[in-house]
């Protein structure tokens, strides 16, 4: 997976300034096709719940954004389950 995203962060500092930061950047990761690992279980999942495909996803990204009041910078890694109906 290669993805280009445009994230927007709104902030408010108690008793201080408020603002919005825009942080575009690349993300990358992988999908593991779980339905192929056990076709019999995948068929039961489809018959019982209507899920035609299931994937395990792992994605990482970095973002940097700043304005006159605040600077954000960091990496994020997510693990997820993607289900297709």
């Amino acid at each position: 997976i290669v993805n280009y995203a445009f994230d927007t962060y709104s902030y408010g500092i108690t008793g201080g300034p408020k603002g919005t930061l825009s942080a575009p950047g690349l993300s990358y990761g992988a999908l593991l096709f779980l339905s192929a690992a056990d076709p019999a279980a995948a068929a039961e999942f489809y018959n019982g719940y209507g899920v035609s495909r299931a994937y395990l996803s792992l994605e990482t990204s970095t973002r940097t954004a700043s304005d006159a009041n605040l600077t954000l910078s960091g990496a994020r890694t997510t693990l997820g389950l993607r289900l297709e109906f």
Side-chain angles (χ1 to χ4, degrees):
I1 302 171
V2 177
N3 181 33
Y4 185 81
F6 191 85
D7 295 339
T8 302
Y9 303 96
S10 296
Y11 68 90
I13 299 172
T14 304
K18 296 179 181 179
T20 302
L21 299 175
S22 298
L26 284 176
S27 300
Y28 56 91
L31 291 173
L32 177 62
F33 186 39
L34 297 176
S35 299
D38 190 350
E44 288 182 32
F45 205 33
Y46 178 74
N47 291 331
Y49 302 99
V51 175
S52 60
R53 293 181 189 92
Y55 300 88
L56 184 65
S57 65
L58 179 66
E59 186 175 334
T60 187
S61 64
T62 57
R63 297 288 188 271
T64 302
S66 64
D67 66 7
N69 302 309
L70 184 67
T71 298
L72 295 177
S73 180
R76 168 180 65 200
T77 301
T78 58
L79 178 66
L81 183 62
R82 175 179 171 175
L83 304 175
E84 294 181 2
F85 293 86

